[in-house]
Amino acid sequence: MITLRINGHSYTVDAPEDMPLLWVLRDLIGLIGTKYGCGIGRCGACTVHVDGKAVHSCTLPVGAVGNRAITTIEAIGATPNGAKVQQAWIDGEVAQCGYCQPGQIMSATALLNRTPNPSDADIDEAMNGHICRCGTYVRIRQAIKNAAK
């Protein structure tokens, strides 16, 4: 049995330690906002925060999480920067299909948490590894800049 702190709540799950955090979140706990994309940590759809750092949950074994706090897309809007990023996404009409957006929002929020006024280079670095099949990269960049204002 593994106990996790997710979105301010404790969850005890019966999972092997090598099970990816993504599958624990989706299949065992029922938090389905975090998406499965590639399964190899390249597309960013599965991004969550672990102690405030954006990580790919598809490649993170649940046994490696320990007692660190996990935040998912379901709770990011309750944080100051998460709320700003989500509103900027809405105002900028960023989402097309929307599939990649939870991961994009999680990384954008982590960026603003550590760099309140990011440069284009900061945004490029933070969003590297996120694939948007609809190509809304220009809108994503602008939404991050708007959220930082």
Side-chain angles (χ1 to χ4, degrees):
M1 299 298 263
I2 298 171
T3 300
L4 301 168
R5 291 186 302 133
I6 304 168
N7 300 334
H9 303 286
S10 272
Y11 295 88
T12 300
V13 295
D14 186 9
E17 290 199 2
D18 63 346
M19 182 179 215
L21 177 60
L22 173 65
W23 300 120
V24 172
L25 294 170
R26 290 183 60 82
D27 293 348
L28 301 182
I29 297 173
L31 296 172
I32 59 171
T34 304
K35 303 302 183 200
Y36 172 77
C38 66
I40 59 172
R42 301 278 187 206
C43 75
C46 68
T47 303
V48 300
H49 292 181
V50 176
D51 273 352
K53 182 180 177 191
V55 300
H56 294 148
S57 64
C58 73
T59 58
L60 178 64
V62 70
V65 173
N67 66 354
R68 296 180 291 166
I70 300 163
T71 305
T72 68
I73 191 68
E74 286 87 354
I76 200 66
T79 68
N81 281 330
K84 288 179 191 176
V85 169
Q86 285 183 332
Q87 190 59 55
W89 247 245
I90 293 166
D91 294 345
E93 298 178 354
V94 172
Q96 292 285 310
C97 79
Y99 197 82
C100 71
Q101 297 309 308
Q104 301 266 10
I105 288 168
M106 295 303 291
S107 285
T109 301
L111 168 63
L112 294 182
N113 287 343
R114 71 177 180 277
T115 309
N117 201 7
S119 66
D120 283 345
D122 295 329
I123 294 171
D124 289 346
E125 182 181 337
M127 303 311 286
N128 185 29
H130 282 276
I131 297 173
C132 174
R133 294 179 63 103
C134 300
T136 65
Y137 299 111
V138 173
R139 291 185 202 173
I140 290 167
R141 176 182 302 283
Q142 189 58 54
I144 293 169
K145 289 180 176 185
N146 291 345
K149 291 180 183 174

